[in-house]
Amino acid sequence: VEEILRSKKIELPKKLAKRYPAYELYLYGEGSYAEEHKVLPLTGIPVLFLPGNAGSYKQVRSIGSIALRKAEDIDFKYHFDFFSVNFNEELVALYGGSLQKQTKFVHECIKTILKLYKGQEFAPKSVAIIGHSMGGLVARALLTLKNFKQDLINLLITQATPHVAPVMPLDRFITDFYMTVNNYWILNARHINLTTLSVAGGFRDYQVRSGLTFLPKLSHHTSALSVVSSAVPKTWVSTDHLSIVWCKQLQLTTIRAFFDLIDADTKQITQNPKKKLSVLNHHFIRHPAKHFEENPSIISDLTGI
C-alpha cells in the first residue's frame, strides 16, 4: 500500500484511456515531494521509466528515490520528475503482439507529460527515457513511428535490453518488430541524433547475455555507447536481469550523470550532443575519480623537461 501511495496516477485524455484501457502513467513521489506534486503543473526535469517483460511500473522507485535524495542535497536547485508506465506486466518477450501498441502508448505518454509543464518558465520540450529490458527496445521503436518527432527524447538509457535480437524468437510479431527497429536505426544512423547508452548486466544476467545488448554498430560513429555494468567505474559489479534496476552503485552513477547533464541556462538536460556523450563517457567509461569538467584544465605542464 505504501508503494502505491508514493505514485500519483496521471489522468490521461479520455480518448487515450479508452484506446489503451490496460495501460497507465504514474508520477513517482515520496514524502513532502509527493505532497507538493499532488497539484500540477510540475517544475522539474521529466524522466520516463519503461519496464520490460512482466515488469512493474513500481521498479522506478530505486532510481527515483536516489534522484530525490540528490536533489535534497542541493536544496532542490534542480530536481527530476520520474514518470513510469504501467504496461499491465505484459509478457512481451514471449508474445510480441503488444510491442507496437506499447510503443504508440509511450508516444502519447511523452506528449501528455510535456503538457504537465505548460506555462512554466523553464518548461521542457523533451524527456529522458530509461528502459529496462524490452522497455529499452520499445523506446528505440518510437523513432519508427510515422508521426514521431525525434527531438521529443533528449536521452535514452537502456538497462539489460536485448537490442541485437530477441532472446527467444517465439513468434513473427517479435522477429518483425526487431527487424523494423534495427533496420531503421542502421539505415538512418546518420540522421539519428539521439544520445543512447546501453548498459548490460554482465555474466550474472542469465536471461539476456551481454552480446545482445550492444547497439547497432553504425550508430557508434554518432551518439551511442554500450557498456557492461561490471566495467562501469564506481559500480564494478555484474547484475542479474532484474537487479540492474535497483543496483545502488549503478543507479548512483546514472543519477550523477543526469545531474551533470543539466544546462544551467535552461534548467533542463543539455541539447548539446557532444556534452551528453562527454558526460556519459566520464561516468560510465573512464571516470578519472573527480567531478565532471566540461573543459578540464591541464594539471601539470611538462614542456621543457
Side-chain angles (χ1 to χ4, degrees):
V1 176
E2 187 187 351
E3 273 190 42
I4 295 169
L5 290 174
R6 290 169 186 269
S7 298
K8 171 187 169 71
K9 186 178 172 183
I10 301 296
E11 198 173 323
L12 299 170
K14 283 182 181 177
K15 276 186 181 178
L16 191 60
K18 200 174 180 181
R19 204 184 313 156
Y20 304 98
Y23 300 162
E24 297 168 323
L25 176 65
Y26 286 86
L27 169 64
Y28 176 80
E30 56 183 81
S32 58
Y33 171 88
E35 287 299 314
E36 285 169 23
H37 291 81
K38 278 182 179 177
V39 182
L40 302 172
L42 301 172
T43 56
I45 303 165
V47 181
L48 178 60
F49 175 79
L50 304 180
N53 176 60
S56 168
Y57 70 94
K58 295 174 187 174
Q59 289 171 321
V60 74
R61 179 182 178 181
S62 298
I63 195 160
S65 183
I66 289 171
L68 193 57
R69 299 286 90 74
K70 175 82 171 169
E72 285 173 348
D73 288 346
I74 58 170
D75 293 324
F76 285 92
K77 182 183 177 183
Y78 306 114
H79 72 273
F80 288 87
D81 298 319
F82 275 82
F83 295 87
S84 186
V85 173
N86 178 13
F87 285 134
N88 202 24
E89 301 185 14
E90 288 179 334
L91 300 166
V92 285
L94 303 178
Y95 169 67
S98 300
L99 287 166
Q100 191 65 21
K101 190 169 68 169
Q102 287 191 359
T103 307
K104 288 177 179 176
F105 180 71
V106 171
H107 183 199
E108 296 299 332
C109 283
I110 292 171
K111 291 189 281 187
T112 301
I113 288 167
L114 294 176
K115 282 177 187 172
L116 299 176
Y117 296 84
K118 217 170 183 180
Q120 294 301 303
E121 187 183 353
F122 298 102
K125 295 175 182 174
S126 56
V127 303
I129 294 180
I130 298 175
H132 173 241
S133 190
M134 294 299 283
L137 189 72
V138 167
R140 284 180 61 222
L142 285 165
L143 275 63
T144 67
L145 296 178
K146 264 186 180 180
N147 56 346
F148 185 78
K149 293 175 184 174
Q150 195 184 133
D151 54 10
L152 285 177
I153 312 175
N154 53 50
L155 176 70
L156 171 59
I157 295 179
T158 67
Q159 299 174 333
T161 296
H163 292 295
V164 178
V167 176
M168 294 185 290
L170 296 177
D171 60 49
R172 66 176 181 82
F173 295 113
I174 293 179
T175 52
D176 288 353
F177 190 79
Y178 263 89
M179 200 173 290
T180 301
V181 173
N182 283 333
N183 282 351
Y184 182 90
W185 276 64
I186 290 168
L187 295 172
N188 296 279
R190 290 183 182 181
H191 309 293
I192 294 176
N193 300 314
L194 174 58
T195 304
T196 310
L197 169 71
S198 172
V199 184
F203 66 88
R204 279 201 180 94
D205 190 340
Y206 297 121
Q207 286 173 260
V208 177
R209 58 185 173 84
S210 298
L212 291 177
T213 66
F214 287 90
L215 292 155
K217 280 187 180 179
L218 287 176
S219 62
H220 281 268
H221 295 299
T222 49
S223 53
L225 292 171
S226 297
V227 297
V228 179
S229 65
S230 54
V232 173
K234 293 194 173 184
T235 301
W236 307 127
V237 293
S238 173
T239 64
D240 64 51
H241 193 64
L242 273 181
S243 67
I244 196 166
V245 299
W246 61 71
C247 169
K248 189 176 180 182
Q249 295 97 314
L250 187 59
Q251 303 312 331
L252 281 168
T253 299
T254 306
I255 291 303
R256 287 188 199 108
F258 269 129
F259 275 88
D260 280 344
L261 285 164
I262 298 170
D263 184 318
D265 295 327
T266 63
K267 298 191 188 299
Q268 295 294 328
I269 286 177
T270 180
Q271 293 300 316
N272 184 336
K274 281 188 179 176
K275 183 179 177 181
K276 282 191 265 194
L277 269 185
S278 181
V279 169
L280 293 177
N281 191 58
H282 173 89
H283 287 283
F284 287 89
I285 294 177
R286 43 187 293 273
H287 206 297
K290 60 179 183 178
H291 291 298
F292 172 76
E293 295 173 352
E294 207 163 338
N295 299 301
S297 55
I298 298 169
I299 296 168
S300 56
D301 190 349
L302 301 177
T303 54
I305 292 175

